[in-house]
Amino acid sequence: EGLEKYVVTRLHTRIFAPDLEMRSKDASLRMRIAKLQFIHPDHLDIPKACRHEHSWQQAIVALQRMSEVVTPKEKLDAVLEASEHIYAAPILNGQTDRPVSADEYLPILVYVLLRANPPELQSNIAYVSSFRSRSRMVGEGAYFFTHLAGAVFFIETLDASSLSIEPALFDRLMTEDDDNIYSFVSLTASPAVPSSSPPTTLGALGGTARPTAPL
């Protein structure tokens, strides 16, 4: 763990989003997410018991933090923290015996990602996939990272048939000119990590997320 941290910290500016192609993928995904801001939890069939605005806002902050930390482990910690907030929603709604199921988790993560529109999302996924030790890509961090990659793929490929929405309405909303799209992308941007900055520690996480059970 210490060796991985040392190497990626020293080489971060060279190995993270190293070319224009990756930067272009990041920009394209952010613009697509900005155009999908009309999507509502109802479009993703998210149960009301799993909706909690404060919990989701904390998950948004955690996902945006991925671009503020350096090491693959720290980025995985941010994903895990986001998942914990998502799983906490039913509890915060007073439904302690109603966990978020595995089938419900992915649509919720998609919605939270749409709200967060984290910068450098494609680069972060590629970076963790390439530079996190295979022997350490296990457990809940790896599980929820796989879901993150799946949620991104869903966002990239979704159409009206993927949502509970009329196809004509989906097409109209997707083709509408939105004067605020560029300002939205700008407002959801996170500051870049200075090359000389040491990696940020997220600190101890409160509780442990479970694929089929609440915190």
mmCIF file of all heavy atoms in Angstrom, residues 1 3 13 37 46 54 68 75 105 126 133 137 177-178 181 183 189-190 208-209:
data_model
loop_
_atom_site.group_PDB
_atom_site.id
_atom_site.type_symbol
_atom_site.label_atom_id
_atom_site.label_comp_id
_atom_site.label_asym_id
_atom_site.label_seq_id
_atom_site.Cartn_x
_atom_site.Cartn_y
_atom_site.Cartn_z
ATOM 1 N N GLU A 1 0.829 -1.214 0.000
ATOM 2 C CA GLU A 1 0.000 0.000 0.000
ATOM 3 C C GLU A 1 0.863 1.264 0.000
ATOM 4 O O GLU A 1 0.613 2.212 -0.754
ATOM 5 C CB GLU A 1 -0.908 -0.010 1.231
ATOM 6 C CG GLU A 1 -2.056 0.974 1.159
ATOM 7 C CD GLU A 1 -3.143 0.501 0.225
ATOM 8 O OE1 GLU A 1 -3.772 -0.529 0.504
ATOM 9 O OE2 GLU A 1 -3.349 1.181 -0.815
ATOM 10 N N LEU A 3 4.000 1.564 -0.996
ATOM 11 C CA LEU A 3 4.740 1.691 -2.251
ATOM 12 C C LEU A 3 3.848 2.240 -3.355
ATOM 13 O O LEU A 3 4.261 3.125 -4.123
ATOM 14 C CB LEU A 3 5.307 0.333 -2.669
ATOM 15 C CG LEU A 3 6.077 0.305 -3.999
ATOM 16 C CD1 LEU A 3 7.278 1.240 -3.942
ATOM 17 C CD2 LEU A 3 6.497 -1.121 -4.328
ATOM 18 N N THR A 13 1.047 13.442 -12.224
ATOM 19 C CA THR A 13 0.823 14.347 -13.351
ATOM 20 C C THR A 13 1.129 13.688 -14.688
ATOM 21 O O THR A 13 0.667 14.165 -15.732
ATOM 22 C CB THR A 13 1.677 15.618 -13.207
ATOM 23 O OG1 THR A 13 3.068 15.240 -13.094
ATOM 24 C CG2 THR A 13 1.268 16.401 -11.977
ATOM 25 N N GLN A 37 -29.947 16.448 -17.289
ATOM 26 C CA GLN A 37 -30.383 16.972 -16.000
ATOM 27 C C GLN A 37 -31.895 16.951 -15.814
ATOM 28 O O GLN A 37 -32.398 17.162 -14.713
ATOM 29 C CB GLN A 37 -29.840 18.389 -15.795
ATOM 30 C CG GLN A 37 -28.345 18.447 -15.572
ATOM 31 C CD GLN A 37 -27.904 17.575 -14.412
ATOM 32 O OE1 GLN A 37 -28.332 17.777 -13.275
ATOM 33 N NE2 GLN A 37 -27.042 16.601 -14.678
ATOM 34 N N ILE A 46 -36.908 4.876 -8.877
ATOM 35 C CA ILE A 46 -36.296 4.797 -7.542
ATOM 36 C C ILE A 46 -37.398 4.847 -6.489
ATOM 37 O O ILE A 46 -38.178 5.803 -6.458
ATOM 38 C CB ILE A 46 -35.303 5.949 -7.334
ATOM 39 C CG1 ILE A 46 -34.158 5.847 -8.351
ATOM 40 C CG2 ILE A 46 -34.756 5.934 -5.902
ATOM 41 C CD1 ILE A 46 -33.202 7.018 -8.318
ATOM 42 N N HIS A 54 -30.629 14.874 1.814
ATOM 43 C CA HIS A 54 -29.373 15.141 2.510
ATOM 44 C C HIS A 54 -28.390 13.989 2.293
ATOM 45 O O HIS A 54 -27.190 14.227 2.068
ATOM 46 C CB HIS A 54 -29.628 15.331 3.999
ATOM 47 C CG HIS A 54 -28.384 15.605 4.794
ATOM 48 N ND1 HIS A 54 -27.606 16.731 4.617
ATOM 49 C CD2 HIS A 54 -27.754 14.861 5.747
ATOM 50 C CE1 HIS A 54 -26.566 16.693 5.424
ATOM 51 N NE2 HIS A 54 -26.633 15.571 6.127
ATOM 52 N N GLU A 68 -10.159 15.327 -6.207
ATOM 53 C CA GLU A 68 -9.411 16.133 -5.253
ATOM 54 C C GLU A 68 -8.375 15.307 -4.503
ATOM 55 O O GLU A 68 -7.608 15.851 -3.707
ATOM 56 C CB GLU A 68 -10.379 16.791 -4.264
ATOM 57 C CG GLU A 68 -11.396 17.711 -4.938
ATOM 58 C CD GLU A 68 -12.441 18.208 -3.971
ATOM 59 O OE1 GLU A 68 -12.306 17.964 -2.748
ATOM 60 O OE2 GLU A 68 -13.408 18.843 -4.431
ATOM 61 N N LYS A 75 -9.387 7.338 -4.042
ATOM 62 C CA LYS A 75 -10.516 7.460 -4.970
ATOM 63 C C LYS A 75 -11.543 6.363 -4.699
ATOM 64 O O LYS A 75 -12.766 6.609 -4.736
ATOM 65 C CB LYS A 75 -10.013 7.424 -6.414
ATOM 66 C CG LYS A 75 -9.162 8.650 -6.769
ATOM 67 C CD LYS A 75 -8.628 8.579 -8.188
ATOM 68 C CE LYS A 75 -7.670 9.730 -8.481
ATOM 69 N NZ LYS A 75 -8.341 11.039 -8.500
ATOM 70 N N TYR A 105 -29.808 -0.173 -6.057
ATOM 71 C CA TYR A 105 -28.617 0.647 -5.862
ATOM 72 C C TYR A 105 -28.139 1.295 -7.153
ATOM 73 O O TYR A 105 -27.799 2.486 -7.171
ATOM 74 C CB TYR A 105 -27.493 -0.194 -5.252
ATOM 75 C CG TYR A 105 -26.204 0.572 -5.109
ATOM 76 C CD1 TYR A 105 -26.027 1.485 -4.071
ATOM 77 C CD2 TYR A 105 -25.166 0.422 -6.028
ATOM 78 C CE1 TYR A 105 -24.857 2.211 -3.947
ATOM 79 C CE2 TYR A 105 -23.995 1.153 -5.913
ATOM 80 C CZ TYR A 105 -23.848 2.041 -4.878
ATOM 81 O OH TYR A 105 -22.692 2.775 -4.776
ATOM 82 N N ALA A 126 -10.417 5.029 -15.298
ATOM 83 C CA ALA A 126 -9.273 4.421 -15.990
ATOM 84 C C ALA A 126 -8.047 4.370 -15.091
ATOM 85 O O ALA A 126 -7.292 3.390 -15.087
ATOM 86 C CB ALA A 126 -8.966 5.210 -17.259
ATOM 87 N N SER A 133 -3.496 -1.874 -7.308
ATOM 88 C CA SER A 133 -2.974 -3.237 -7.302
ATOM 89 C C SER A 133 -4.102 -4.250 -7.413
ATOM 90 O O SER A 133 -5.108 -4.159 -6.710
ATOM 91 C CB SER A 133 -2.180 -3.484 -6.009
ATOM 92 O OG SER A 133 -1.854 -4.837 -5.871
ATOM 93 N N MET A 137 -7.746 -5.008 -5.229
ATOM 94 C CA MET A 137 -9.060 -4.695 -5.790
ATOM 95 C C MET A 137 -10.053 -5.770 -5.386
ATOM 96 O O MET A 137 -10.551 -6.555 -6.199
ATOM 97 C CB MET A 137 -8.975 -4.582 -7.311
ATOM 98 C CG MET A 137 -8.461 -3.249 -7.795
ATOM 99 S SD MET A 137 -9.593 -1.876 -7.429
ATOM 100 C CE MET A 137 -10.812 -2.079 -8.710
ATOM 101 N N ASP A 177 -32.241 23.181 -27.083
ATOM 102 C CA ASP A 177 -31.077 24.024 -26.818
ATOM 103 C C ASP A 177 -31.185 24.529 -25.395
ATOM 104 O O ASP A 177 -32.201 25.101 -25.004
ATOM 105 C CB ASP A 177 -31.042 25.209 -27.789
ATOM 106 C CG ASP A 177 -30.720 24.783 -29.200
ATOM 107 O OD1 ASP A 177 -29.989 23.785 -29.364
ATOM 108 O OD2 ASP A 177 -31.199 25.449 -30.129
ATOM 109 N N ASP A 178 -30.145 24.321 -24.639
ATOM 110 C CA ASP A 178 -30.144 24.734 -23.238
ATOM 111 C C ASP A 178 -29.024 25.739 -23.039
ATOM 112 O O ASP A 178 -27.849 25.401 -23.066
ATOM 113 C CB ASP A 178 -29.939 23.524 -22.328
ATOM 114 C CG ASP A 178 -30.064 23.874 -20.844
ATOM 115 O OD1 ASP A 178 -30.218 25.062 -20.514
ATOM 116 O OD2 ASP A 178 -30.003 22.936 -20.026
ATOM 117 N N ILE A 181 -26.375 24.957 -20.194
ATOM 118 C CA ILE A 181 -25.623 23.707 -20.125
ATOM 119 C C ILE A 181 -24.155 23.949 -19.806
ATOM 120 O O ILE A 181 -23.551 23.267 -18.983
ATOM 121 C CB ILE A 181 -25.788 22.897 -21.428
ATOM 122 C CG1 ILE A 181 -25.157 21.506 -21.267
ATOM 123 C CG2 ILE A 181 -25.199 23.619 -22.615
ATOM 124 C CD1 ILE A 181 -25.497 20.573 -22.410
ATOM 125 N N SER A 183 -22.861 26.603 -18.286
ATOM 126 C CA SER A 183 -22.711 27.121 -16.925
ATOM 127 C C SER A 183 -22.868 26.004 -15.909
ATOM 128 O O SER A 183 -22.210 25.985 -14.877
ATOM 129 C CB SER A 183 -23.734 28.230 -16.652
ATOM 130 O OG SER A 183 -25.055 27.746 -16.776
ATOM 131 N N ALA A 189 -17.707 21.813 -11.597
ATOM 132 C CA ALA A 189 -16.285 21.492 -11.705
ATOM 133 C C ALA A 189 -15.636 21.517 -10.340
ATOM 134 O O ALA A 189 -15.987 22.308 -9.471
ATOM 135 C CB ALA A 189 -15.583 22.484 -12.626
ATOM 136 N N SER A 190 -14.657 20.646 -10.148
ATOM 137 C CA SER A 190 -13.870 20.613 -8.918
ATOM 138 C C SER A 190 -12.468 21.103 -9.224
ATOM 139 O O SER A 190 -11.975 20.923 -10.337
ATOM 140 C CB SER A 190 -13.799 19.187 -8.357
ATOM 141 O OG SER A 190 -15.063 18.755 -7.930
ATOM 142 N N THR A 208 -20.039 0.368 7.534
ATOM 143 C CA THR A 208 -19.643 -0.420 6.374
ATOM 144 C C THR A 208 -20.847 -0.670 5.502
ATOM 145 O O THR A 208 -21.886 -1.135 5.976
ATOM 146 C CB THR A 208 -19.062 -1.782 6.826
ATOM 147 O OG1 THR A 208 -17.978 -1.529 7.705
ATOM 148 C CG2 THR A 208 -18.585 -2.584 5.627
ATOM 149 N N ALA A 209 -20.738 -0.339 4.222
ATOM 150 C CA ALA A 209 -21.861 -0.540 3.288
ATOM 151 C C ALA A 209 -21.976 -2.009 2.920
ATOM 152 O O ALA A 209 -20.993 -2.739 2.906
ATOM 153 C CB ALA A 209 -21.637 0.303 2.030
#
